[in-house]
Each structure stands twice: as structure tokens, then as C-alpha cells.
């Protein structure tokens, strides 16, 4: 059965800390790995990863995919309270339908 | 900006009622999806549609149906609402090939069935 597993389930850090969120996947016909940030409402897109070993960066956030280990990490440096959110990882599969299977998410709380 | 709009932010319905959740997107996306999100379970796919009048079951379709009469609108129907359908419902859309930005989500509808 296809699945995406995220760890840790939750994390509490202080502002300025660096955090690493983990995602492992077992997805048939795997196409891509996506990261989303969800605050109070709609998940917002962070990264889509399709190639192994190529880091994607956006400000203080970065992510990389390891297809050999079937995993990905999301790094956040110099965390701020505004980074507090649920971070969702999803594995993309399927042909034209481009479906996603989601992990349960990591709840990150950044304390002042 | 791509917009995916869900008609209701919060909804309270009684057990046995027929419930309609509406989703509209304005970017001509072919694919549209309905997920429900529950604590500890993440997002689970209920139904998706890859074209007008075309639909496929996701992982948890029981108790739900969908309708896609127009490309921009995808409706989720709870035929007879039950308390175990209390949840956050998220609609999403994307191009057939996914595009470089993955899915675009609506703001969600928090449904409570009493």
C-alpha cells in the first residue's frame, strides 16, 4: 500500500533555531515529492522535487530529494514565529491524473 | 493568482441531511480533487475529476458522491450526513501534467455534523 510518512509529528523550537523535517515515501509510479505549509486554512505550495540530489531553496527554506533512500528533507534556518504551521509532504503519482498521497504532517511551533 | 474558492468556510448540518460542498477554480485546470483532513490522518483523497463529467473514486469515497458539470466547478455531495463525516474538507485543482506549482488548494470547509 502506498504511503508517505513524516517525522517528527510535532516539534517545538525557539526563534533562530534550525529545523529539519523528514519525509519518507513508498509510492507506486512515483513522479514527484511536494512540500506544503498549512497555517489556519489552505495549504500553500513550497517545493516540488523530481530529481534526486538537487536542492531547491526559497529564502530560509530548502529541500532535497533522495530517490535512493525514498526520502526528502525540508530545512528551515533561522526560524521565526511566522514559520509556525503544519508542514505537509506529498508523493505525486499516476499518469494524467497526477494524484498526490499526503503524509500526516509535522506540526512546527516556533516560540519567541 | 490562481484561485480555488470553496463556498462555505464553516458549516453545521444535522445527521441525515444532504450536504453540498462547492468548489470553483478560475485557472482552467483539468484536474480537481476533494480531500478531507483529520488530525493524525492527514489529507485523504475522497474523489477526483480529470475532465467534465469524469470522476474517479479516491481512497475513502464511501458516503460521498461528486458532480462536475462544468470545468471550473466540482461539487462534493454527502448523501446523508453522519457524525463521522465531521471534518475539514479541502478542494484542490491542477493542470493535467501538474505544472511546476503542484496543487492549488481552496481555504477549506469545516463541516460539523450534529
Amino acid at each position: 500500500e502506498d504511503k508517505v510518512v513524516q517525522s517528527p509529528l510535532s516539534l517545538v523550537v525557539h526563534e533562530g533555531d534550525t529545523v529539519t523535517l523528514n519525509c519518507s515515501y513508498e509510492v507506486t509510479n512515483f513522479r514527484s515529492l511536494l512540500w506544503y505549509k498549512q497555517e489556519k486554512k489552505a495549504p500553500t505550495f513550497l517545493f516540488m522535487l523530481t530529481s534526486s540530489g538537487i536542492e531547491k531553496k526559497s529564502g530560509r527554506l530548502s529541500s532535497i530529494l533522495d530517490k535512493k533512500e525514498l526520502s526528502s528533507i525540508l530545512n528551515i534556518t533561522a526560524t521565526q514565529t511566522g514559520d509556525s504551521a503544519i508542514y505537509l509532504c506529498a508523493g505525486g503519482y499516476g499518469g494524467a491524473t497526477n494524484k498526490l498521497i499526503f503524509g500526516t504532517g509535522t506540526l512546527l511551533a516556533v516560540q519567541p | 493568482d490562481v484561485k480555488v474558492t470553496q463556498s462555505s468556510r464553516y458549516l453545521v448540518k444535522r445527521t441525515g441531511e444532504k450536504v453540498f460542498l462547492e468548489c470553483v477554480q478560475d485557472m482552467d485546470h483539468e484536474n480537481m480533487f476533494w480531500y478531507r483532513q483529520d488530525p493524525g490522518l492527514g489529507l485523504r483523497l475522497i474523489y477526483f475529476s480529470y475532465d467534465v463529467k469524469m470522476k474517479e473514486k479516491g481512497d475513502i469515497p464511501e458516503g460521498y458522491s461528486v458532480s462536475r458539470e462544468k470545468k471550473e466547478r466540482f461539487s462534493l455531495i454527502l448523501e446523508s450526513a453522519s457524525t463521522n463525516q465531521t471534518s475539514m474538507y479541502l478542494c484542490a485543482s491542477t493542470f493535467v501534467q501538474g505544472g511546476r506549482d503542484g496543487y492549488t488548494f481552496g481555504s477549506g470547509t469545516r463541516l460539523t455534523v450534529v
Side-chain angles (χ1 to χ4, degrees), chain A residues 35-105:
Chain A
W35 286 96
Y36 287 86
K37 177 183 181 182
Q38 185 179 24
E39 294 172 270
K40 292 200 182 297
K41 37 187 184 180
T44 53
F45 173 80
L46 293 175
F47 299 109
M48 177 190 285
L49 306 159
T50 55
S51 300
S52 200
I54 299 174
E55 185 182 52
K56 290 205 171 183
K57 291 195 68 153
S58 177
R60 297 176 292 102
L61 277 67
S62 64
S63 184
I64 195 163
L65 176 66
D66 185 338
K67 283 186 174 180
K68 188 176 178 183
E69 296 295 327
L70 304 183
S71 66
S72 175
I73 59 171
L74 175 69
N75 282 319
I76 309 174
T77 59
T79 52
Q80 302 170 357
T81 55
D83 294 327
S84 296
I86 297 172
Y87 289 84
L88 298 167
C89 171
Y93 68 103
T97 52
N98 192 37
K99 291 180 279 187
L100 295 180
I101 179 167
F102 283 86
T104 54

Side-chain angles (χ1 to χ4, degrees), chain A residues 8-28:
Chain A
L9 291 181
S10 64
L11 192 56
V12 180
V13 301
H14 291 283
E15 274 191 313
D17 288 349
T18 293
V19 299
T20 298
L21 309 183
N22 301 288
C23 176
S24 64
Y25 64 90
E26 294 177 29
V27 176
T28 307

